[in-house]
């Protein structure tokens, strides 16, 4: 039997301070998440400066808790993995600085991880049989990508958003109908009480790129609808707006993913990122995959939104490949997928 490999994963790219201990890339020994949602709610979105300050306050405590919960000592850890981009620069820097200090002090290797690679890797936690290659739809607050996961850490992007990310559209529409931040889960909940066919919102198609996405037209269409209702003095059924908007987003995400799976000949499809916990998307994708003979994976909600476990998992596969970063590792706010 090979010796167990333990990775400490650290995540601080946005508004969650998180750390986790992962055994052999697939087993989560601890997953500690300190969310700042309550703090940013009053501003209707994440305030970068507040996020950085809160990360500084929380990071050591979160890391200590993750080690404790995993019943592990720092000496037993094989490598420290940390998100170094993309994300908010000040927020990323806190995680990167903490990881460097711990790795240096404990004489452990340092492995920088791409945040989106983390989201994709969250699928490996509960699906022990899932291995590349497969097709993955990544839908988060900052990203909407359709990628071929060729191997661990190797991606080919075949589609991406031209404007807003899917999560961003959820958040903006939620704000417009007065649901507050973060909007995704609130629209998800309210949609259950509404009629998805009540309002015909547009499904954007990009003429020259079959798998690209665009959500800004849909967002404008929702705003126009709300404006015209208010001009006419008509009451707005928020649940119908939420359900019809969500249906429009889900339709496009599902149709692009299924078309790409067919064209590229994949029989396995995975979802990743915060929006992957959307119940409408899960149901819509389940149904379409069933009808097209595709197997679908998606992480439990706690592994869809930002967490340290996904960074530990991605870090494990990077560690196995020999990826090591030096003490000059820096935060890269607009790090591209596949960039080192
Ligand atoms: O992946 P994530 O935690 O952070 C980024 O890397 O961006 O994603 C956060 C995004 C937010 O826009 C949030 O509104 C959205 O994911 N989200 C959802 C749901 N849960 C989170 N969107 C739709 N339905 C949900 N249930
Ligand atoms: Zn994320």
């Amino acid at each position: 039997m090979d010796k167990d490999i333990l990775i400490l994963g650290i995540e601080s790219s946005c508004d969650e301070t998180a750390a986790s201990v992962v055994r052999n890339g697939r087993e989560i020994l601890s997953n500690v998440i300190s969310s700042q949602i309550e703090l940013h709610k009053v501003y209707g979105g994440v305030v970068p400066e507040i996020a950085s300050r809160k990360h500084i306050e929380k990071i050591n405590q979160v890391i200590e808790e993750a080690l404790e919960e995993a019943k592990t000592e720092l000496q037993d850890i094989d490598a420290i993995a940390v998100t170094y981009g993309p994300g908010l620069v000040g927020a990323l820097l806190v995680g990167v600085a903490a990881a460097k200090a711990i790795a240096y002090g404990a004489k452990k290797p340092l492995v920088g991880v791409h945040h989106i690679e983390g989201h994709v890797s969250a699928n490996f936690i509960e699906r022990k049989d899932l291995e590349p290659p497969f097709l993955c739809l990544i839908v988060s607050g900052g990203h909407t990508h359709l990628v071929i996961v060729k191997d661990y850490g190797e991606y080919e992007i075949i589609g991406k958003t031209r404007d807003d990310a899917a999560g961003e559209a959820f958040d903006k529409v939620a704000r417009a109908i007065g649901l507050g931040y973060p909007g995704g889960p609130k629209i998800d909940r309210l949609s259950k009480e509404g009629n998805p066919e009540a309002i015909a919102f547009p499904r954007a198609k990009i003429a020259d790129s079959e798998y690209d996405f665009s959500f800004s037209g849909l967002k404008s269409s929702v705003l126009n609808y709300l404006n015209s209702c208010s001009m006419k003095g008509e009451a707005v059924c928020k649940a119908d707006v939420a359900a019809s908007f969500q249906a429009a987003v889900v339709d496009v995400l599902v149709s692009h993913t299924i078309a790409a799976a067919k064209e590229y000949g994949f029989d396995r499809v995975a979802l990743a990122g915060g929006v992957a916990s959307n119940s409408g998307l899960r149901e819509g994708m389940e149904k379409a995959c069933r009808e097209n003979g595709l197997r679908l994976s998606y992480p439990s909600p706690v592994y869809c939104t930002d967490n340290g476990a996904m960074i530990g998992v991605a870090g494990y596969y990077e560690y196995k490949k020999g990826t090591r970063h030096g003490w000059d590792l820096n935060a890269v706010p607009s790090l591209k997928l596949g960039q080192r």
Side-chain angles (χ1 to χ4, degrees):
M1 220 6 229
D2 287 345
K3 177 192 164 295
D4 282 342
I5 293 180
L6 295 182
I7 307 286
L8 171 65
I10 300 172
E11 156 64 37
S12 71
S13 66
C14 190
D15 59 347
E16 256 97 38
T17 320
S20 163
V21 177
V22 178
R23 178 156 58 202
N24 300 328
R26 300 255 175 173
E27 202 186 330
I28 308 307
L29 301 187
S30 63
N31 188 31
V32 178
I33 305 170
S34 169
S35 173
Q36 307 178 357
I37 284 180
E38 287 305 318
L39 215 60
H40 298 284
K41 241 182 194 165
V42 282
Y43 304 101
V46 178
V47 182
E49 188 52 40
I50 295 179
S52 319
R53 271 189 254 156
K54 202 67 193 173
H55 283 309
I56 293 174
E57 261 176 51
K58 290 283 175 184
I59 192 109
N60 287 341
Q61 184 190 334
V62 165
I63 293 170
E64 272 168 30
E65 265 179 51
L67 288 168
E68 233 166 75
E69 214 179 285
K71 299 187 174 50
T72 324
E73 304 282 332
L74 197 51
Q75 299 90 278
D76 305 326
I77 297 289
D78 291 277
I80 318 291
V82 64
T83 305
Y84 71 109
L88 302 170
V89 66
L92 287 165
L93 273 171
V94 177
V96 168
K100 286 202 282 193
I102 293 169
Y104 183 79
K107 299 189 172 57
K108 302 289 178 186
L110 175 70
V111 180
V113 170
H114 192 291
H115 182 74
I116 298 302
E117 182 170 348
H119 276 303
V120 173
S121 304
N123 278 286
F124 300 133
I125 298 170
E126 292 150 303
R127 290 290 177 108
K128 308 294 179 205
D129 63 326
L130 179 66
E131 281 183 34
F134 58 89
L135 183 71
C136 188
L137 173 72
I138 304 153
V139 271
S140 72
H143 301 266
T144 303
H145 282 358
L146 196 50
V147 304
I148 295 171
V149 183
K150 293 177 159 180
D151 201 344
Y152 294 104
E154 269 185 52
Y155 308 93
E156 182 187 339
I157 301 173
I158 59 169
K160 55 177 182 297
T161 182
R162 295 286 180 96
D163 37 60
D164 292 350
E168 202 178 344
F170 268 96
D171 293 337
K172 287 178 177 169
V173 166
R175 193 178 313 159
I177 54 176
L179 297 181
Y181 175 84
K186 292 184 173 158
I187 291 205
D188 192 354
R189 231 170 290 133
L190 189 60
S191 288
K192 294 187 172 51
E193 297 160 25
N195 173 9
E197 287 165 14
I199 311 149
F201 288 132
R203 274 72 171 153
K205 283 220 168 8
I206 312 282
D208 57 341
S209 183
E210 199 183 344
Y211 302 123
D212 276 359
F213 304 93
S214 167
F215 295 108
S216 72
L218 169 60
K219 178 194 65 193
S220 303
S221 175
V222 174
L223 296 179
N224 288 342
Y225 174 81
L226 296 173
N227 274 339
S228 83
C229 287
S230 104
M231 305 264 276
K232 288 186 259 177
E234 287 172 6
V236 170
C237 175
K238 289 187 183 183
D240 281 353
V241 175
S244 301
F245 160 77
Q246 182 170 293
V249 175
V250 168
D251 253 14
V252 172
L253 294 176
V254 170
S255 64
H256 280 41
T257 307
I258 301 295
K262 281 188 184 165
E263 184 186 330
Y264 288 90
F266 285 107
D267 65 350
R268 279 205 94 138
V269 169
L271 306 179
V275 184
S277 57
N278 182 267
S279 57
L281 177 60
R282 286 168 180 244
E283 279 162 27
M285 200 69 86
E286 287 276 14
K287 182 167 173 282
C289 283
R290 219 172 22 247
E291 285 166 4
N292 289 280
L294 305 169
R295 283 193 292 165
L296 177 66
S297 311
Y298 46 74
S300 292
V302 68
Y303 298 128
C304 283
T305 42
D306 293 348
N307 64 87
M310 68 184 200
I311 303 305
V313 175
Y316 167 83
Y317 288 104
E318 289 294 339
Y319 174 78
K320 292 273 279 186
K321 277 199 306 194
T323 303
R324 303 289 184 271
H325 284 88
W327 307 128
D328 58 350
L329 178 69
N330 206 349
V332 184
S334 55
L335 186 66
K336 301 278 172 289
L337 197 59
Q339 186 186 330
R340 307 237 172 251

